Amino acid sequence: MNGHCLTNEQILAFSTALFLAERSQATMEKYLRSVRAFSLFLDGQPVTKDTVMAWKKHLQREENYSPSTVNASLAALNYLFNFLGWTDCRTHYLKIQRRLFRETGRELDRTDYEKLIAAALDLGRERIALVMETICATGIRVGEVRYITVEAVRAGSATISLSDIHILPDHRIYIKNTDSPVRTRVF
């Protein structure tokens, strides 16, 4: 198996392709960081399925990366290989068993939540307090907060579309007082 030669020009072209595919800045940086790390790992060797699998093992053993981090790096490489037409170099992701519930040690209890809100308000950071209340009241992700607008609150629901669509139930968001800023209630 001869393999393929990965060049800086190909990485630059890949960067342009990510931009043209309208990938987010964070995704572009993450993919390019992984591709450059792989390129350094190669140290002049050709790209083969074996070198990709060796890098995968390197990330797991020497770098001690979590399975999800290894899979994110592999996603970047697989995307690069599709771009370059090197489908023979693609590799499978690590199998990860999904957690049905979050670890209880990582959850906030009501007391911790109230302390966080109080601390934000004590520091004069009402907007931060409102964002935290909104996230806790609705279960949305941080990146989805921008979809909670005054119009959405007045309508009683919001449609959020990032990777999938969530409909926030009417009873979870409401206007506390129409004369005051829009607020959400928690619990």
Side-chain angles (χ1 to χ4, degrees):
M1 200 178 218
N2 293 340
H4 307 278
C5 182
L6 183 60
T7 65
N8 288 332
E9 291 78 19
Q10 290 168 322
I11 295 173
L12 183 60
F14 179 61
S15 172
T16 303
L18 289 171
F19 177 77
L20 294 174
E22 298 182 12
R23 297 289 178 187
S24 73
Q25 185 67 31
T27 299
M28 288 174 48
E29 289 170 4
K30 183 170 60 171
Y31 275 26
L32 291 172
R33 187 172 37 252
S34 294
V35 168
R36 288 183 185 117
F38 176 67
S39 180
L40 286 173
F41 173 81
L42 288 174
D43 195 30
Q45 295 178 61
V47 179
T48 64
K49 178 83 169 192
D50 290 338
T51 56
V52 175
M53 290 173 56
W55 188 61
K56 182 168 133 179
K57 286 181 183 172
H58 169 79
L59 294 177
Q60 287 177 274
R61 295 192 176 128
E62 278 84 52
E63 298 295 333
N64 202 24
Y65 285 170
S66 71
S68 59
T69 303
V70 172
N71 284 348
S73 295
L74 294 176
L77 278 190
N78 285 341
Y79 198 87
L80 170 72
F81 297 150
N82 281 342
F83 169 73
L84 295 173
W86 300 352
T87 54
D88 57 312
C89 295
R90 289 178 47 91
T91 188
H92 293 285
Y93 301 111
L94 299 175
K95 293 190 185 327
I96 301 174
Q97 185 174 357
R98 296 260 181 212
R99 293 184 203 156
L100 294 178
F101 300 99
R102 302 226 189 279
E103 299 168 25
T104 55
R106 297 188 67 187
E107 291 179 0
L108 285 180
D109 61 20
R110 186 179 183 102
T111 306
D112 292 334
Y113 163 78
E114 289 170 350
K115 285 179 185 176
L116 277 174
I117 298 298
L121 293 173
D122 289 345
L123 293 170
R125 308 289 305 267
E126 184 179 16
R127 290 180 73 182
I128 295 294
L130 288 170
V131 168
M132 286 190 289
E133 286 181 350
T134 303
I135 290 170
C136 292
T138 61
I140 62 174
R141 300 177 188 115
V142 171
E144 297 170 336
V145 169
R146 65 186 166 131
Y147 295 101
I148 307 299
T149 62
V150 172
E151 293 81 17
V153 173
R154 287 194 176 123
S157 66
T159 301
I160 298 174
S161 61
L162 287 180
S163 56
D164 41 3
I165 295 174
H166 304 277
I167 305 295
L168 305 178
D170 292 349
H171 70 280
R172 307 263 314 260
I173 298 177
Y174 70 98
I175 299 173
K176 183 177 181 183
N177 179 344
T178 55
D179 297 328
S180 69
V182 174
R183 297 195 51 93
T184 58
R185 297 304 298 160
V186 180
F187 303 108

